Amino acid sequence: MTNANALTIGSRREKRRRAAVAARRRARSARPPWEEPPTAAGRAAKGLTLGGTLAVILVPLWIIVLTSFSTPGAINRAGGLVIWPDGLTTDTYREMLSDPTVVTALMVSLGITVVGTAVSMAVSVLCAYGLSRPRSLGHRFVLLLLIITMFVSGGLIPSFLVVTGLGGYDQWWALILPSAVSVFNILVLRAFYQETSSELIDAARMDGAGDWRILWSVVLPTSRAVTAVTALFYAVGYWNSFFNVMLYMPTDSQKWPLQYVLLTYVNRANGLPGSVNSGFGNTQVQTAPLSLQMAVVVLTLVPLVIVYPFVQKHLRTGVLTGAIKG
């Protein structure tokens, strides 16, 4: 092949590449015939709306984090929450993480979240799969009962009497089982499972697979998005829960999760910023109560901030797709 031919072929390839790039750009910017190009005012309004929404989300987080790193003097000068950096320190976090009450509460919250999410997902997935099969025995009756519980409940006192009657007072399982099942999540999973390709299920049955094998090897792999989002919802619920602690173990502080420790401290820490009483355990150090409160808030947010990016990509394809298909 001569150099001239090689140059010709190379130039043709470059032209095709450029044409493909231009076509992709036109496809991205293509608008429906009925949609007019945005005006300058419209673009400015969209930018202001997005900027305002972002500020509403980020500014409180900035203030919370900054206050948690601020010294008592900086909090006193700011009159409360700190907006601009002034006298930053990590003494608050060192004190908080060295306190056995907070460390124990953190471990309790992690344990409850992991175990509770596993139990809730097992029950929800099995229930949703059974309800999604049209030939399941009594699935319509069970589905009707589940839907009724979404609108009618026995109330707080009957629930408390049932749990305590079963020996759940001051027991770990009382923090998990009473809130282990969400009918809404089951309905979302069921709607998604119903859309699983019948050809895949029929092929698996022809190969000798039973319902357990079909659920594990066919249904779950094709519904990772909705499964991940449902697990996130359960995990956030367990991580943020504190009401069951108030009902079933209000006296044993060694079994309190982090959220209840935070609630207890916020309710009793009414001193002025710069008070020597830290509010955690028996420690007596020069730390602002407000700084400690914000530090505990930051500590409760860190696990969610770490986990959320891994699940965020599934939110749209998981919840919205499952709900629309249902």
Side-chain angles (χ1 to χ4, degrees), residues 58-100:
L58 294 182
V59 169
L61 291 176
W62 165 262
I63 294 175
I64 289 173
V65 174
L66 191 59
T67 304
S68 69
F69 282 100
S70 298
T71 61
I75 294 176
N76 285 330
R77 289 190 293 271
L81 297 174
V82 180
I83 300 178
W84 301 107
D86 181 17
L88 300 182
T89 180
T90 59
D91 292 343
T92 301
Y93 286 93
R94 285 201 297 266
E95 176 194 348
M96 180 182 62
L97 295 177
S98 64
D99 189 275

Side-chain angles (χ1 to χ4, degrees), residues 4-261:
N5 292 336
L7 292 175
T8 302
I9 295 175
S11 61
R12 289 176 181 175
R13 290 177 179 174
E14 181 65 19
K15 289 180 180 179
R16 285 196 297 267
R17 187 188 67 81
R18 292 180 180 178
V21 171
R24 286 196 295 269
R25 290 177 178 175
R26 287 194 299 269
R28 294 195 197 103
S29 60
R31 293 179 176 274
W34 59 85
E35 185 177 348
E36 297 180 357
T39 62
R43 289 195 295 268
K46 290 180 181 178
L48 290 175
T49 302
L50 292 176
T53 304
L54 190 63
V56 169
I57 296 173
L58 294 182
V59 169
L61 291 176
W62 165 262
I63 294 175
I64 289 173
V65 174
L66 191 59
T67 304
S68 69
F69 282 100
S70 298
T71 61
I75 294 176
N76 285 330
R77 289 190 293 271
L81 297 174
V82 180
I83 300 178
W84 301 107
D86 181 17
L88 300 182
T89 180
T90 59
D91 292 343
T92 301
Y93 286 93
R94 285 201 297 266
E95 176 194 348
M96 180 182 62
L97 295 177
S98 64
D99 189 275
T101 303
V102 176
V103 176
T104 302
L106 178 61
M107 295 297 103
V108 170
S109 292
L110 290 175
I112 291 175
T113 301
V114 172
V115 176
T117 302
V119 172
S120 296
M121 286 302 299
V123 175
S124 298
V125 167
L126 294 177
C127 182
Y129 177 72
L131 295 176
S132 66
R133 300 303 94 194
R135 294 183 298 274
S136 299
L137 179 63
H139 72 281
R140 293 186 180 274
F141 178 70
V142 175
L143 180 61
L144 178 62
L145 291 180
L146 289 176
I147 294 176
I148 290 175
T149 61
M150 293 182 65
F151 306 100
V152 180
S153 64
L156 179 60
I157 295 177
S159 300
F160 177 80
L161 294 177
V162 169
V163 174
T164 55
L166 295 175
Y169 193 81
D170 201 28
Q171 298 296 322
W172 291 111
W173 65 264
L175 305 180
I176 298 175
L177 294 186
S179 56
V181 178
S182 170
V183 178
F184 173 78
N185 290 338
I186 291 177
L187 295 180
V188 172
L189 289 170
R190 172 183 176 269
F192 205 96
Y193 292 166
Q194 284 180 322
E195 298 300 323
T196 303
S197 175
S198 58
E199 289 80 6
L200 290 176
I201 296 177
D202 293 339
R205 291 192 184 279
M206 292 178 63
D207 290 337
D211 284 325
W212 289 100
R213 184 70 176 182
I214 292 174
L215 173 61
W216 183 258
S217 301
V218 178
V219 176
L220 289 180
T222 57
S223 57
R224 290 192 182 95
V226 69
T227 303
V229 172
T230 305
L232 176 65
F233 286 167
Y234 277 126
V236 171
Y238 282 113
W239 180 259
N240 291 328
S241 65
F242 61 88
F243 188 67
N244 285 347
V245 184
M246 300 172 62
L247 293 178
Y248 305 120
M249 52 178 59
T251 58
D252 191 355
S253 61
Q254 295 300 315
K255 295 182 180 180
W256 288 353
L258 187 62
Q259 299 292 348
Y260 191 67
V261 171

